[in-house]
Amino acid sequence: MSEVNSISPEVQRRILEEEYPELAEFRASGRAEERSLPPLPNAMEGKVRLRFAPNPDFVIHMGNARPAIINHEYAKMYRGALILRFEDTDPRTKTPLKEAYDLIKEDLKWLGVSWDEEYIQSLRMEVFYKVAREAIARDCAYVDNCGDEGKRLLSEGRHCPSRDYPPEESLELFDRMLDGVFGEGEAVLRMKTDPRHPNPSLRDWVAMRIIDTEKHPHPLVGSRYVVWPTYNFAVSVDDHLMGVTHVLRGKEHQLNTEKQLAVYRCMGWRPPEFIHFGRLKLEGFILSKSKIRKLIEEKPDEFLGYDDPRFGTIAGLRRRGILPEAIREVIMQVGVKPTDATISWANLASINRKLLDKRADRIMFVEDPVRLKLSLSSSKCLEARIPYHPDRPERVRAIEVCDGDSVLLSRSDYTSHQQVRLMGLSNFSIEDSVLVETDPSLDHARRMKLPIIQWVKASEAVKTVVLEPVELSLKSRSGYSEGSIRGYGVDSRLQFVRFGFVRVDSAGEEYTVIYTHK
RNA sequence: GCCGCGGUAGUAUAGCCCGGCCCAGUAUGCGGGCCUUUCGAGCCCGUGACCCGGGUUCAAAUCCCGGCCGCGGCACCA
């Protein structure tokens, strides 16, 4: 083994290829293999229609990215269509956020999810009313005007007397609902299922209810409507009308699927294929919309907003420095299994690091700096020519220092070494507050196994604060970056040499960056 | 409590439908090494898993039964 390890990688690879060609080939094809999704049942090329249907009560997070990306991937795979539909039919308890509609669209675009059609349910109320009337006419829906009593009766396997009214009478009651005759809770439209179904929530479930929009105005349509469809009714109607062929969503919707089937049965529609996958967690991040909202509201000084890098929102991950390709890749790896999955941060970070490594320029940053004077001996002045990226050695910046100039080193380097090589410059021994130049050659540094460390010319240093998310806190680490950081604006992704990858969060006289990962 | 869905290494996933090619593949993590003017990337080697118990079978991660555990649902939320 040690024999193998003492051989250089190129030689190792060559030997492998020569001696075991089938093995090398196997490796190569395994590497190229892209994770692809299993085929969809009853799917025809060009005919598949899918949808992503978020509730615009907040921005989307990693958990929503699963249905968004999976649906988009399938749409691409079958050259089908992806529908974006905002499900905003509860102005009372899940009040939509006016800004969320656009924020969600921005996040989707950033994720690379494109859609072909776009709908907003609160703008389709007349459609729901029309279908409701037809359902009543078909005698598979009725107005329950028993108020709270109606629910109690059903819990006992009985029902409100109005269930037995002829359709014409129910239709009249429905019109009175629309006219605002009833207050909240006084009347609801129910689908006729089975009042004695073993699962009480399935018994004549509510298709439409009254919401006092004077008290709870909707951000888009204000107080124009008082009768609102429930999720299950609105979804079935829209999925059918929009020609959705496959519904892929989280398994929390399994029971809803059963409810929705009642609408298809009533209307004589052909139901789509339903596929449920497990829930997603992101290790170390808060995903819950309600928890995030609560934290922002209760501790506005401690959190940066919905895009705080400690949150698992798409915006938060973006601000952290995660690339959309990394999110897509990790979602594709998890796939469509019905099991829950906890995405490990190490895994996401690793995928991201590989993508970032190719595009992030290398910049020197010293944390907790110590100021030292240079004592040069090889010449009066030295010029360090350091490539911004090891893959593109022609792109360099030059940093000139002269005898007597001051440089900054990270305190941890200062305290743990006696001899060092300042990257791209020369070798030094550390004597109290002076760096005394020894042999300038790189070979010498290698022979002596000197650590090659980053440094910042004091006169050009740019104060830099690194914000590092650690669990629920945001650790602040400060230091100085080399002057060339000024060439990078907000949103630039950099690698601070021997420190880690960061994303520029604010650029000005001073810089603030967010620590992405090692 | 009731109903539904699941359980492959620390994490994620392949294999399970159509039992043998699986003493279980891959990625990440971890340990070691090579390379390299970064503690990054790359390369090599290693490490580690079929929830438990029965059954069917020449043969079970794969099929059957029971148990345990986890998740989801049981709204006039989505």
PDB file of all heavy atoms in Angstrom, chain A residues 12 35 94 209 339-340 354 446 498, chain B residues 6 13 28 37-39 44 71 77-78:
ATOM      1  N   GLN A  12       0.017   6.516 -11.044  1.00  0.00           N
ATOM      2  CA  GLN A  12      -0.959   5.576 -10.499  1.00  0.00           C
ATOM      3  C   GLN A  12      -2.066   5.330 -11.516  1.00  0.00           C
ATOM      4  O   GLN A  12      -2.473   4.209 -11.762  1.00  0.00           O
ATOM      5  CB  GLN A  12      -1.592   6.143  -9.219  1.00  0.00           C
ATOM      6  CG  GLN A  12      -0.677   6.083  -8.015  1.00  0.00           C
ATOM      7  CD  GLN A  12      -1.344   6.642  -6.771  1.00  0.00           C
ATOM      8  OE1 GLN A  12      -2.545   6.834  -6.757  1.00  0.00           O
ATOM      9  NE2 GLN A  12      -0.562   6.878  -5.741  1.00  0.00           N
ATOM     10  N   ARG A  35     -27.463  11.395 -11.983  1.00  0.00           N
ATOM     11  CA  ARG A  35     -28.616  10.820 -11.310  1.00  0.00           C
ATOM     12  C   ARG A  35     -29.856  11.212 -12.099  1.00  0.00           C
ATOM     13  O   ARG A  35     -30.122  12.381 -12.340  1.00  0.00           O
ATOM     14  CB  ARG A  35     -28.692  11.404  -9.889  1.00  0.00           C
ATOM     15  CG  ARG A  35     -29.873  10.916  -9.105  1.00  0.00           C
ATOM     16  CD  ARG A  35     -29.612   9.559  -8.494  1.00  0.00           C
ATOM     17  NE  ARG A  35     -28.360   9.571  -7.715  1.00  0.00           N
ATOM     18  CZ  ARG A  35     -28.185   8.816  -6.645  1.00  0.00           C
ATOM     19  NH1 ARG A  35     -29.139   8.040  -6.221  1.00  0.00           N
ATOM     20  NH2 ARG A  35     -27.042   8.864  -5.992  1.00  0.00           N
ATOM     21  N   LYS A  94     -53.770  31.783   6.861  1.00  0.00           N
ATOM     22  CA  LYS A  94     -52.498  31.755   6.123  1.00  0.00           C
ATOM     23  C   LYS A  94     -52.488  32.948   5.184  1.00  0.00           C
ATOM     24  O   LYS A  94     -52.316  32.813   3.966  1.00  0.00           O
ATOM     25  CB  LYS A  94     -52.347  30.442   5.361  1.00  0.00           C
ATOM     26  CG  LYS A  94     -52.068  29.273   6.278  1.00  0.00           C
ATOM     27  CD  LYS A  94     -51.088  28.286   5.701  1.00  0.00           C
ATOM     28  CE  LYS A  94     -50.648  27.288   6.770  1.00  0.00           C
ATOM     29  NZ  LYS A  94     -50.152  26.029   6.191  1.00  0.00           N
ATOM     30  N   ARG A 209     -65.930  27.776   2.418  1.00  0.00           N
ATOM     31  CA  ARG A 209     -66.338  28.339   3.701  1.00  0.00           C
ATOM     32  C   ARG A 209     -66.357  29.850   3.597  1.00  0.00           C
ATOM     33  O   ARG A 209     -65.850  30.441   2.625  1.00  0.00           O
ATOM     34  CB  ARG A 209     -65.452  27.829   4.822  1.00  0.00           C
ATOM     35  CG  ARG A 209     -64.113  28.507   5.004  1.00  0.00           C
ATOM     36  CD  ARG A 209     -63.151  28.286   3.880  1.00  0.00           C
ATOM     37  NE  ARG A 209     -61.766  28.347   4.330  1.00  0.00           N
ATOM     38  CZ  ARG A 209     -60.717  28.375   3.529  1.00  0.00           C
ATOM     39  NH1 ARG A 209     -60.883  28.359   2.214  1.00  0.00           N
ATOM     40  NH2 ARG A 209     -59.509  28.435   3.994  1.00  0.00           N
ATOM     41  N   THR A 339     -39.614   8.205   1.610  1.00  0.00           N
ATOM     42  CA  THR A 339     -39.008   8.346   2.937  1.00  0.00           C
ATOM     43  C   THR A 339     -38.548   9.781   3.166  1.00  0.00           C
ATOM     44  O   THR A 339     -38.188  10.487   2.237  1.00  0.00           O
ATOM     45  CB  THR A 339     -37.780   7.431   3.085  1.00  0.00           C
ATOM     46  OG1 THR A 339     -37.030   7.495   1.874  1.00  0.00           O
ATOM     47  CG2 THR A 339     -38.191   6.013   3.340  1.00  0.00           C
ATOM     48  N   ASP A 340     -38.541  10.165   4.426  1.00  0.00           N
ATOM     49  CA  ASP A 340     -38.041  11.492   4.765  1.00  0.00           C
ATOM     50  C   ASP A 340     -36.527  11.492   4.621  1.00  0.00           C
ATOM     51  O   ASP A 340     -35.889  10.467   4.781  1.00  0.00           O
ATOM     52  CB  ASP A 340     -38.395  11.835   6.213  1.00  0.00           C
ATOM     53  CG  ASP A 340     -39.891  11.968   6.389  1.00  0.00           C
ATOM     54  OD1 ASP A 340     -40.581  12.146   5.369  1.00  0.00           O
ATOM     55  OD2 ASP A 340     -40.361  11.879   7.522  1.00  0.00           O
ATOM     56  N   LYS A 354     -17.149  22.085  -4.653  1.00  0.00           N
ATOM     57  CA  LYS A 354     -16.582  21.664  -5.931  1.00  0.00           C
ATOM     58  C   LYS A 354     -16.962  22.619  -7.059  1.00  0.00           C
ATOM     59  O   LYS A 354     -16.178  22.883  -7.961  1.00  0.00           O
ATOM     60  CB  LYS A 354     -17.038  20.245  -6.265  1.00  0.00           C
ATOM     61  CG  LYS A 354     -16.171  19.222  -5.583  1.00  0.00           C
ATOM     62  CD  LYS A 354     -16.745  17.841  -5.606  1.00  0.00           C
ATOM     63  CE  LYS A 354     -16.099  17.021  -4.490  1.00  0.00           C
ATOM     64  NZ  LYS A 354     -16.874  15.836  -4.139  1.00  0.00           N
ATOM     65  N   ARG A 446      10.119  24.574   0.723  1.00  0.00           N
ATOM     66  CA  ARG A 446       9.656  23.188   0.595  1.00  0.00           C
ATOM     67  C   ARG A 446      10.569  22.239   1.344  1.00  0.00           C
ATOM     68  O   ARG A 446      10.110  21.335   2.025  1.00  0.00           O
ATOM     69  CB  ARG A 446       9.618  22.798  -0.885  1.00  0.00           C
ATOM     70  CG  ARG A 446       8.421  23.413  -1.576  1.00  0.00           C
ATOM     71  CD  ARG A 446       8.176  22.745  -2.924  1.00  0.00           C
ATOM     72  NE  ARG A 446       6.968  23.291  -3.525  1.00  0.00           N
ATOM     73  CZ  ARG A 446       6.870  23.630  -4.802  1.00  0.00           C
ATOM     74  NH1 ARG A 446       7.899  23.462  -5.612  1.00  0.00           N
ATOM     75  NH2 ARG A 446       5.739  24.117  -5.263  1.00  0.00           N
ATOM     76  N   ARG A 498      -6.631  29.608   2.825  1.00  0.00           N
ATOM     77  CA  ARG A 498      -6.467  28.866   4.081  1.00  0.00           C
ATOM     78  C   ARG A 498      -7.523  29.231   5.119  1.00  0.00           C
ATOM     79  O   ARG A 498      -7.368  29.011   6.307  1.00  0.00           O
ATOM     80  CB  ARG A 498      -5.067  29.093   4.678  1.00  0.00           C
ATOM     81  CG  ARG A 498      -3.955  28.571   3.780  1.00  0.00           C
ATOM     82  CD  ARG A 498      -2.732  28.177   4.582  1.00  0.00           C
ATOM     83  NE  ARG A 498      -2.312  29.226   5.483  1.00  0.00           N
ATOM     84  CZ  ARG A 498      -1.885  29.020   6.720  1.00  0.00           C
ATOM     85  NH1 ARG A 498      -1.803  27.807   7.206  1.00  0.00           N
ATOM     86  NH2 ARG A 498      -1.534  30.031   7.468  1.00  0.00           N
TER      87      ARG A 498
ATOM     88  P     G B   6     -44.969   2.105   1.401  1.00  0.00           P
ATOM     89  OP1   G B   6     -44.877   1.671   0.000  1.00  0.00           O
ATOM     90  OP2   G B   6     -45.238   1.100   2.460  1.00  0.00           O
ATOM     91  O5'   G B   6     -43.642   2.871   1.754  1.00  0.00           O
ATOM     92  C5'   G B   6     -42.716   2.232   2.555  1.00  0.00           C
ATOM     93  C4'   G B   6     -41.801   3.245   3.149  1.00  0.00           C
ATOM     94  O4'   G B   6     -42.497   3.935   4.220  1.00  0.00           O
ATOM     95  C3'   G B   6     -40.613   2.572   3.782  1.00  0.00           C
ATOM     96  O3'   G B   6     -39.577   2.550   2.814  1.00  0.00           O
ATOM     97  C2'   G B   6     -40.309   3.427   4.997  1.00  0.00           C
ATOM     98  O2'   G B   6     -39.533   4.548   4.671  1.00  0.00           O
ATOM     99  C1'   G B   6     -41.715   3.877   5.408  1.00  0.00           C
ATOM    100  N9    G B   6     -42.395   3.002   6.364  1.00  0.00           N
ATOM    101  C8    G B   6     -43.544   2.288   6.153  1.00  0.00           C
ATOM    102  N7    G B   6     -43.944   1.629   7.210  1.00  0.00           N
ATOM    103  C5    G B   6     -43.003   1.940   8.184  1.00  0.00           C
ATOM    104  C6    G B   6     -42.916   1.531   9.536  1.00  0.00           C
ATOM    105  O6    G B   6     -43.672   0.808  10.170  1.00  0.00           O
ATOM    106  N1    G B   6     -41.788   2.067  10.160  1.00  0.00           N
ATOM    107  C2    G B   6     -40.873   2.890   9.565  1.00  0.00           C
ATOM    108  N2    G B   6     -39.864   3.297  10.318  1.00  0.00           N
ATOM    109  N3    G B   6     -40.955   3.285   8.303  1.00  0.00           N
ATOM    110  C4    G B   6     -42.034   2.778   7.673  1.00  0.00           C
ATOM    111  P     U B  13     -32.455   9.195   0.917  1.00  0.00           P
ATOM    112  OP1   U B  13     -33.765   9.677   0.460  1.00  0.00           O
ATOM    113  OP2   U B  13     -32.369   8.281   2.065  1.00  0.00           O
ATOM    114  O5'   U B  13     -31.702   8.486  -0.299  1.00  0.00           O
ATOM    115  C5'   U B  13     -31.735   9.068  -1.602  1.00  0.00           C
ATOM    116  C4'   U B  13     -30.705   8.416  -2.472  1.00  0.00           C
ATOM    117  O4'   U B  13     -29.450   8.328  -1.760  1.00  0.00           O
ATOM    118  C3'   U B  13     -30.969   6.965  -2.870  1.00  0.00           C
ATOM    119  O3'   U B  13     -31.867   6.891  -3.969  1.00  0.00           O
ATOM    120  C2'   U B  13     -29.577   6.522  -3.281  1.00  0.00           C
ATOM    121  O2'   U B  13     -29.200   7.052  -4.530  1.00  0.00           O
ATOM    122  C1'   U B  13     -28.732   7.183  -2.201  1.00  0.00           C
ATOM    123  N1    U B  13     -28.485   6.292  -1.056  1.00  0.00           N
ATOM    124  C2    U B  13     -27.524   5.310  -1.226  1.00  0.00           C
ATOM    125  O2    U B  13     -26.894   5.185  -2.255  1.00  0.00           O
ATOM    126  N3    U B  13     -27.331   4.501  -0.143  1.00  0.00           N
ATOM    127  C4    U B  13     -27.988   4.556   1.061  1.00  0.00           C
ATOM    128  O4    U B  13     -27.694   3.747   1.941  1.00  0.00           O
ATOM    129  C5    U B  13     -28.985   5.590   1.161  1.00  0.00           C
ATOM    130  C6    U B  13     -29.188   6.409   0.124  1.00  0.00           C
ATOM    131  P     U B  28     -17.194  12.558  -2.755  1.00  0.00           P
ATOM    132  OP1   U B  28     -16.543  13.732  -3.368  1.00  0.00           O
ATOM    133  OP2   U B  28     -16.422  11.320  -2.527  1.00  0.00           O
ATOM    134  O5'   U B  28     -17.833  12.991  -1.365  1.00  0.00           O
ATOM    135  C5'   U B  28     -18.587  14.195  -1.258  1.00  0.00           C
ATOM    136  C4'   U B  28     -19.283  14.232   0.079  1.00  0.00           C
ATOM    137  O4'   U B  28     -20.179  13.099   0.182  1.00  0.00           O
ATOM    138  C3'   U B  28     -18.381  14.082   1.304  1.00  0.00           C
ATOM    139  O3'   U B  28     -17.779  15.318   1.656  1.00  0.00           O
ATOM    140  C2'   U B  28     -19.400  13.651   2.356  1.00  0.00           C
ATOM    141  O2'   U B  28     -20.189  14.728   2.783  1.00  0.00           O
ATOM    142  C1'   U B  28     -20.261  12.683   1.541  1.00  0.00           C
ATOM    143  N1    U B  28     -19.764  11.300   1.661  1.00  0.00           N
ATOM    144  C2    U B  28     -20.087  10.608   2.814  1.00  0.00           C
ATOM    145  O2    U B  28     -20.764  11.088   3.696  1.00  0.00           O
ATOM    146  N3    U B  28     -19.584   9.343   2.894  1.00  0.00           N
ATOM    147  C4    U B  28     -18.798   8.698   1.953  1.00  0.00           C
ATOM    148  O4    U B  28     -18.418   7.552   2.171  1.00  0.00           O
ATOM    149  C5    U B  28     -18.499   9.481   0.791  1.00  0.00           C
ATOM    150  C6    U B  28     -18.980  10.728   0.680  1.00  0.00           C
ATOM    151  P     U B  37       3.809  24.027  -6.620  1.00  0.00           P
ATOM    152  OP1   U B  37       4.070  24.962  -7.748  1.00  0.00           O
ATOM    153  OP2   U B  37       4.694  22.927  -6.284  1.00  0.00           O
ATOM    154  O5'   U B  37       3.567  24.890  -5.314  1.00  0.00           O
ATOM    155  C5'   U B  37       2.389  25.541  -5.162  1.00  0.00           C
ATOM    156  C4'   U B  37       2.457  26.375  -3.896  1.00  0.00           C
ATOM    157  O4'   U B  37       3.656  27.139  -3.864  1.00  0.00           O
ATOM    158  C3'   U B  37       1.301  27.326  -3.953  1.00  0.00           C
ATOM    159  O3'   U B  37       0.455  27.050  -2.844  1.00  0.00           O
ATOM    160  C2'   U B  37       1.897  28.718  -3.830  1.00  0.00           C
ATOM    161  O2'   U B  37       1.314  29.428  -2.744  1.00  0.00           O
ATOM    162  C1'   U B  37       3.364  28.441  -3.448  1.00  0.00           C
ATOM    163  N1    U B  37       4.292  29.372  -4.089  1.00  0.00           N
ATOM    164  C2    U B  37       4.609  30.498  -3.356  1.00  0.00           C
ATOM    165  O2    U B  37       4.122  30.726  -2.268  1.00  0.00           O
ATOM    166  N3    U B  37       5.508  31.328  -3.952  1.00  0.00           N
ATOM    167  C4    U B  37       6.119  31.156  -5.172  1.00  0.00           C
ATOM    168  O4    U B  37       6.924  31.983  -5.559  1.00  0.00           O
ATOM    169  C5    U B  37       5.727  29.966  -5.874  1.00  0.00           C
ATOM    170  C6    U B  37       4.834  29.141  -5.326  1.00  0.00           C
ATOM    171  P     U B  38      -0.217  25.776  -2.548  1.00  0.00           P
ATOM    172  OP1   U B  38       0.633  24.795  -1.854  1.00  0.00           O
ATOM    173  OP2   U B  38      -1.004  25.359  -3.715  1.00  0.00           O
ATOM    174  O5'   U B  38      -1.200  26.400  -1.491  1.00  0.00           O
ATOM    175  C5'   U B  38      -0.686  26.977  -0.300  1.00  0.00           C
ATOM    176  C4'   U B  38      -1.818  27.138   0.659  1.00  0.00           C
ATOM    177  O4'   U B  38      -2.791  28.022   0.054  1.00  0.00           O
ATOM    178  C3'   U B  38      -2.574  25.843   0.924  1.00  0.00           C
ATOM    179  O3'   U B  38      -1.988  25.171   2.012  1.00  0.00           O
ATOM    180  C2'   U B  38      -3.945  26.366   1.303  1.00  0.00           C
ATOM    181  O2'   U B  38      -3.978  26.806   2.640  1.00  0.00           O
ATOM    182  C1'   U B  38      -4.085  27.601   0.399  1.00  0.00           C
ATOM    183  N1    U B  38      -4.832  27.359  -0.846  1.00  0.00           N
ATOM    184  C2    U B  38      -6.212  27.404  -0.742  1.00  0.00           C
ATOM    185  O2    U B  38      -6.784  27.576   0.314  1.00  0.00           O
ATOM    186  N3    U B  38      -6.869  27.227  -1.918  1.00  0.00           N
ATOM    187  C4    U B  38      -6.327  27.009  -3.155  1.00  0.00           C
ATOM    188  O4    U B  38      -7.057  26.888  -4.137  1.00  0.00           O
ATOM    189  C5    U B  38      -4.894  26.960  -3.190  1.00  0.00           C
ATOM    190  C6    U B  38      -4.216  27.131  -2.049  1.00  0.00           C
ATOM    191  P     C B  39      -2.227  23.606   2.259  1.00  0.00           P
ATOM    192  OP1   C B  39      -1.186  23.256   3.208  1.00  0.00           O
ATOM    193  OP2   C B  39      -2.358  22.915   0.969  1.00  0.00           O
ATOM    194  O5'   C B  39      -3.636  23.532   2.991  1.00  0.00           O
ATOM    195  C5'   C B  39      -4.226  22.246   3.334  1.00  0.00           C
ATOM    196  C4'   C B  39      -5.406  22.495   4.260  1.00  0.00           C
ATOM    197  O4'   C B  39      -4.893  23.136   5.436  1.00  0.00           O
ATOM    198  C3'   C B  39      -6.430  23.461   3.684  1.00  0.00           C
ATOM    199  O3'   C B  39      -7.583  22.814   3.164  1.00  0.00           O
ATOM    200  C2'   C B  39      -6.869  24.346   4.852  1.00  0.00           C
ATOM    201  O2'   C B  39      -8.167  24.034   5.342  1.00  0.00           O
ATOM    202  C1'   C B  39      -5.895  23.982   5.948  1.00  0.00           C
ATOM    203  N1    C B  39      -5.243  25.152   6.571  1.00  0.00           N
ATOM    204  C2    C B  39      -5.407  25.280   7.957  1.00  0.00           C
ATOM    205  O2    C B  39      -6.086  24.431   8.551  1.00  0.00           O
ATOM    206  N3    C B  39      -4.817  26.319   8.586  1.00  0.00           N
ATOM    207  C4    C B  39      -4.095  27.193   7.885  1.00  0.00           C
ATOM    208  N4    C B  39      -3.533  28.187   8.564  1.00  0.00           N
ATOM    209  C5    C B  39      -3.917  27.079   6.480  1.00  0.00           C
ATOM    210  C6    C B  39      -4.507  26.041   5.856  1.00  0.00           C
ATOM    211  P     C B  44      -8.533   7.733  -7.904  1.00  0.00           P
ATOM    212  OP1   C B  44      -8.975   6.775  -8.934  1.00  0.00           O
ATOM    213  OP2   C B  44      -9.516   8.386  -7.007  1.00  0.00           O
ATOM    214  O5'   C B  44      -7.444   7.012  -6.978  1.00  0.00           O
ATOM    215  C5'   C B  44      -6.365   6.304  -7.561  1.00  0.00           C
ATOM    216  C4'   C B  44      -5.465   5.810  -6.471  1.00  0.00           C
ATOM    217  O4'   C B  44      -4.908   6.938  -5.745  1.00  0.00           O
ATOM    218  C3'   C B  44      -6.164   5.005  -5.375  1.00  0.00           C
ATOM    219  O3'   C B  44      -6.377   3.670  -5.771  1.00  0.00           O
ATOM    220  C2'   C B  44      -5.166   5.117  -4.239  1.00  0.00           C
ATOM    221  O2'   C B  44      -4.052   4.288  -4.433  1.00  0.00           O
ATOM    222  C1'   C B  44      -4.725   6.584  -4.382  1.00  0.00           C
ATOM    223  N1    C B  44      -5.522   7.489  -3.535  1.00  0.00           N
ATOM    224  C2    C B  44      -5.202   7.562  -2.166  1.00  0.00           C
ATOM    225  O2    C B  44      -4.283   6.858  -1.733  1.00  0.00           O
ATOM    226  N3    C B  44      -5.903   8.400  -1.364  1.00  0.00           N
ATOM    227  C4    C B  44      -6.888   9.133  -1.878  1.00  0.00           C
ATOM    228  N4    C B  44      -7.558   9.941  -1.050  1.00  0.00           N
ATOM    229  C5    C B  44      -7.252   9.069  -3.258  1.00  0.00           C
ATOM    230  C6    C B  44      -6.539   8.243  -4.046  1.00  0.00           C
ATOM    231  P     C B  71     -40.653  10.869  14.450  1.00  0.00           P
ATOM    232  OP1   C B  71     -40.016  12.122  14.882  1.00  0.00           O
ATOM    233  OP2   C B  71     -41.693  10.231  15.290  1.00  0.00           O
ATOM    234  O5'   C B  71     -41.276  11.068  13.000  1.00  0.00           O
ATOM    235  C5'   C B  71     -40.487  11.624  11.960  1.00  0.00           C
ATOM    236  C4'   C B  71     -41.207  11.444  10.644  1.00  0.00           C
ATOM    237  O4'   C B  71     -41.439  10.034  10.400  1.00  0.00           O
ATOM    238  C3'   C B  71     -42.610  12.033  10.576  1.00  0.00           C
ATOM    239  O3'   C B  71     -42.590  13.429  10.358  1.00  0.00           O
ATOM    240  C2'   C B  71     -43.176  11.274   9.388  1.00  0.00           C
ATOM    241  O2'   C B  71     -42.651  11.746   8.165  1.00  0.00           O
ATOM    242  C1'   C B  71     -42.641   9.871   9.649  1.00  0.00           C
ATOM    243  N1    C B  71     -43.584   9.044  10.422  1.00  0.00           N
ATOM    244  C2    C B  71     -44.654   8.445   9.730  1.00  0.00           C
ATOM    245  O2    C B  71     -44.769   8.641   8.513  1.00  0.00           O
ATOM    246  N3    C B  71     -45.541   7.682  10.421  1.00  0.00           N
ATOM    247  C4    C B  71     -45.385   7.503  11.731  1.00  0.00           C
ATOM    248  N4    C B  71     -46.281   6.744  12.359  1.00  0.00           N
ATOM    249  C5    C B  71     -44.309   8.103  12.460  1.00  0.00           C
ATOM    250  C6    C B  71     -43.441   8.862  11.769  1.00  0.00           C
ATOM    251  P     C B  77     -60.315  26.874   7.175  1.00  0.00           P
ATOM    252  OP1   C B  77     -60.779  27.971   7.995  1.00  0.00           O
ATOM    253  OP2   C B  77     -60.453  26.940   5.710  1.00  0.00           O
ATOM    254  O5'   C B  77     -58.791  26.600   7.523  1.00  0.00           O
ATOM    255  C5'   C B  77     -58.093  25.643   6.793  1.00  0.00           C
ATOM    256  C4'   C B  77     -56.731  26.209   6.541  1.00  0.00           C
ATOM    257  O4'   C B  77     -55.822  25.611   7.471  1.00  0.00           O
ATOM    258  C3'   C B  77     -56.179  25.869   5.180  1.00  0.00           C
ATOM    259  O3'   C B  77     -56.651  26.796   4.227  1.00  0.00           O
ATOM    260  C2'   C B  77     -54.691  25.997   5.439  1.00  0.00           C
ATOM    261  O2'   C B  77     -54.308  27.339   5.436  1.00  0.00           O
ATOM    262  C1'   C B  77     -54.567  25.436   6.850  1.00  0.00           C
ATOM    263  N1    C B  77     -54.211  24.015   6.925  1.00  0.00           N
ATOM    264  C2    C B  77     -52.844  23.692   7.061  1.00  0.00           C
ATOM    265  O2    C B  77     -52.026  24.600   7.088  1.00  0.00           O
ATOM    266  N3    C B  77     -52.480  22.404   7.142  1.00  0.00           N
ATOM    267  C4    C B  77     -53.409  21.443   7.102  1.00  0.00           C
ATOM    268  N4    C B  77     -52.996  20.183   7.203  1.00  0.00           N
ATOM    269  C5    C B  77     -54.797  21.738   6.966  1.00  0.00           C
ATOM    270  C6    C B  77     -55.152  23.032   6.874  1.00  0.00           C
ATOM    271  P     A B  78     -56.876  26.375   2.719  1.00  0.00           P
ATOM    272  OP1   A B  78     -57.497  27.533   2.057  1.00  0.00           O
ATOM    273  OP2   A B  78     -57.533  25.056   2.659  1.00  0.00           O
ATOM    274  O5'   A B  78     -55.392  26.173   2.183  1.00  0.00           O
ATOM    275  C5'   A B  78     -54.544  27.289   1.934  1.00  0.00           C
ATOM    276  C4'   A B  78     -53.140  26.769   1.751  1.00  0.00           C
ATOM    277  O4'   A B  78     -52.787  25.971   2.905  1.00  0.00           O
ATOM    278  C3'   A B  78     -52.973  25.810   0.578  1.00  0.00           C
ATOM    279  O3'   A B  78     -52.722  26.501  -0.628  1.00  0.00           O
ATOM    280  C2'   A B  78     -51.772  24.979   1.018  1.00  0.00           C
ATOM    281  O2'   A B  78     -50.572  25.671   0.825  1.00  0.00           O
ATOM    282  C1'   A B  78     -52.031  24.839   2.509  1.00  0.00           C
ATOM    283  N9    A B  78     -52.779  23.613   2.844  1.00  0.00           N
ATOM    284  C8    A B  78     -54.126  23.410   2.801  1.00  0.00           C
ATOM    285  N7    A B  78     -54.504  22.208   3.167  1.00  0.00           N
ATOM    286  C5    A B  78     -53.318  21.575   3.465  1.00  0.00           C
ATOM    287  C6    A B  78     -53.021  20.262   3.915  1.00  0.00           C
ATOM    288  N6    A B  78     -53.959  19.337   4.144  1.00  0.00           N
ATOM    289  N1    A B  78     -51.737  19.931   4.113  1.00  0.00           N
ATOM    290  C2    A B  78     -50.800  20.858   3.876  1.00  0.00           C
ATOM    291  N3    A B  78     -50.949  22.127   3.459  1.00  0.00           N
ATOM    292  C4    A B  78     -52.247  22.420   3.268  1.00  0.00           C
TER     293        A B  78
END
